[in-house]
């Protein structure tokens, strides 16, 4: 509440609001018998337009566009504009697309599991360090994120290729007699490459979750006679679970939609759902069917996020 002396009885009080401001001209105009009205703050209005308008324009509009395209009919290589469910029916009735889809989900789950296990070990070891060396190692572990994505894939090809470092090492050690095809142009190569490239995305959320654990809890558990293993299982692991699930989910979501890595290191045996979507847009020019595949992938991602949120909510309740 605020009061202005000299205003007429009908204007005896005014209320401040976050989105409205009162200027001196308003008060003078009211004293002269004119109506008192609130003028919206231009800065706050512009900020709200940016906060709500930009995400709507850049995120929701493309999603709505894809959703609309997925219901359009494709006939004689032309989009007719007629609404249809044939694009979704073609996906669910196609054994090959379903096989690729579930194979991609399995691949992404394995990549997320590898990133979770290795990421947790690395994050935990860094977290247990003292002083500035902890953050130096964290910076080094996150440094691959600033590198070009294609460069990282070519680096993995130089390691996994027929004449790469891994085959050369196995040949020199006498383990194999000829370069092996096990590590390149197959699903194994795609899994190894994704696991290495996406590992930093799993390390950072886990480390942040560990960093938020108060040291007083660890000290209290130790004072009560808990051994290091018991402290880890009863204190550290439950409190770092949200960050661990978030890191694994982040890696899995990225792996589900990746099409460049399977194309460069997977070959014909590394065909994934991301490549199937890309082929509909870039080669077959069947945008409605490609949009339907993209919507299926989006629904899968949203389902995974919802399940993870439900698990975390139940864990907090318990």
């Amino acid at each position: 509440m605020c009061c202005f002396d000299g205003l007429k009885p009908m204007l005896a009080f005014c209320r401040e609001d976050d989105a409205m401001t009162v200027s001196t001209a308003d008060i003078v105009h009211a004293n002269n018998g004119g109506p008192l009205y609130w003028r919206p703050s231009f800065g706050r209005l512009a900020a709200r337009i940016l906060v709500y308008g930009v995400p709507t324009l850049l995120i929701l509009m493309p999603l709505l566009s894809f959703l609309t395209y997925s219901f359009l009919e494709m006939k004689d290589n032309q989009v007719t504009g007629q609404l249809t469910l044939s694009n979704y029916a073609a996906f669910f009735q196609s054994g090959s697309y379903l096989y690729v889809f579930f194979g991609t989900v399995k691949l992404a789950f394995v990549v997320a599991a590898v990133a979770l296990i290795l990421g947790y070990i690395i994050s935990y070891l860094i977290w247990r360090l003292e002083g500035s060396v902890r953050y130096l190692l964290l910076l080094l572990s996150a440094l691959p994120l600033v590198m070009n994505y294609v460069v990282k894939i070519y680096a993995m090809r130089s390691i996994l290729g027929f004449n790469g470092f891994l085959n050369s090492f196995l040949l020199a050690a006498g383990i194999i007699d000829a370069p092996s095809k096990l590590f390149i142009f197959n699903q194994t190569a795609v899994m190894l490459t994704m696991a290495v490239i996406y590992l930093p995305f799993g390390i950072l959320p886990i480390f942040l979750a560990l960093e938020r654990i108060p040291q007083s809890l660890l000290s209290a558990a130790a004072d009560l006679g808990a051994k290091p293993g018991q402290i880890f299982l009863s204190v550290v692991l439950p409190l770092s679970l949200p960050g661990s699930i978030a890191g694994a989910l982040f890696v899995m979501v990225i792996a589900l939609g990746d099409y460049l890595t399977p194309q460069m290191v997977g070959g014909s045996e590394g065909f994934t759902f991301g490549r199937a979507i890309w082929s509909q847009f870039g080669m077959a020019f069947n945008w409605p069917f490609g949009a339907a595949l993209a919507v299926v992938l989006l629904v899968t991602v949203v389902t995974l996020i919802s399940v993870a949120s439900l698990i975390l909510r139940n864990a907090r309740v318990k």
Side-chain angles (χ1 to χ4, degrees):
M1 289 292 181
C2 60
C3 296
F4 300 96
D5 297 333
L7 292 180
K8 293 184 177 181
M10 62 177 298
L11 302 174
F13 69 93
C14 67
R15 183 179 62 188
E16 293 182 354
D17 187 81
D18 292 338
M20 315 299 288
T21 59
V22 181
S23 66
T24 306
D26 293 329
I27 300 174
V28 173
H29 185 58
N31 281 323
N32 291 333
L36 177 63
Y37 57 90
W38 308 111
R39 293 181 178 177
S41 172
F42 177 76
R44 293 180 183 273
L45 182 61
R48 291 187 178 184
I49 292 176
L50 289 176
V51 169
Y52 298 107
V54 173
T56 301
L57 182 63
L58 299 182
I59 299 177
L60 293 182
M61 293 303 294
L63 292 179
L64 291 176
S65 175
F66 267 90
L67 183 62
T68 303
Y69 251 102
S70 67
F71 290 103
L72 297 181
E73 183 185 36
M74 188 78 174
K75 188 176 183 179
D76 298 330
N77 296 325
Q78 296 290 334
V79 179
T80 63
Q82 298 295 325
L83 297 180
T84 180
L85 294 175
S86 60
N87 298 314
Y88 292 97
F91 166 72
F92 287 106
Q93 294 174 1
S94 174
S96 58
Y97 278 104
L98 289 175
Y99 176 80
V100 172
F101 173 75
F102 287 111
T104 303
V105 173
K106 178 182 176 181
L107 173 67
F109 180 81
V110 174
V111 172
V114 173
L116 174 61
I117 296 173
L118 296 181
Y120 199 98
I121 294 174
I122 296 173
S123 300
Y124 183 81
L125 293 176
I126 295 176
W127 177 63
R128 297 299 298 174
L129 296 176
E130 299 290 342
S132 59
V133 66
R134 168 197 291 186
Y135 301 103
L136 177 61
L137 291 179
L138 180 64
L139 177 63
L140 292 177
S141 64
L143 194 60
L145 294 177
V146 302
M147 296 175 59
N148 185 272
Y149 185 71
V150 178
V151 172
K152 290 186 287 187
I153 296 178
Y154 274 112
M156 290 300 300
R157 285 188 60 171
S158 67
I159 296 175
L160 302 176
F162 296 127
N163 299 319
F165 172 79
L166 186 57
N167 270 311
S168 299
F169 174 78
L170 295 177
L171 286 172
I175 299 177
I176 58 177
D177 298 327
S180 175
K181 299 180 180 180
L182 179 63
F183 310 113
I184 194 68
F185 299 134
N186 50 42
Q187 289 282 357
T188 303
V190 176
M191 186 271 293
L192 291 174
T193 303
M194 285 185 176
V196 172
I197 292 178
Y198 299 147
L199 182 58
F201 291 102
I203 293 176
L204 292 179
I206 297 174
F207 178 83
L208 293 177
L210 292 171
E211 187 74 359
R212 295 177 60 184
I213 299 177
Q215 292 296 324
S216 59
L217 291 179
L218 306 181
S219 301
D223 293 339
L224 292 174
K227 297 180 180 180
Q230 294 175 324
I231 295 175
F232 175 78
L233 293 177
S234 60
V235 179
V236 177
L237 186 60
L239 293 179
S240 61
L241 184 62
S244 303
I245 294 180
L249 186 63
F250 195 19
V251 172
M252 187 172 184
V253 169
I254 300 176
L256 277 174
D258 191 355
Y259 72 93
L260 189 58
T261 301
Q263 183 174 349
M264 295 185 67
V265 302
S268 58
E269 297 182 11
F271 197 79
T272 61
F273 200 66
R275 291 182 65 182
I277 296 176
W278 172 82
S279 65
Q280 294 300 319
F281 286 99
M283 299 178 63
F285 297 104
N286 191 347
W287 282 42
F289 186 57
L293 298 182
V295 171
V296 170
L297 186 61
L298 176 62
V299 172
T300 303
V301 170
V302 172
T303 303
L304 290 174
I305 295 176
S306 302
V307 171
S309 300
L310 181 61
I311 294 174
L312 289 175
R313 190 180 300 112
N314 292 336
R316 291 192 184 100
V317 172
K318 295 180 181 178

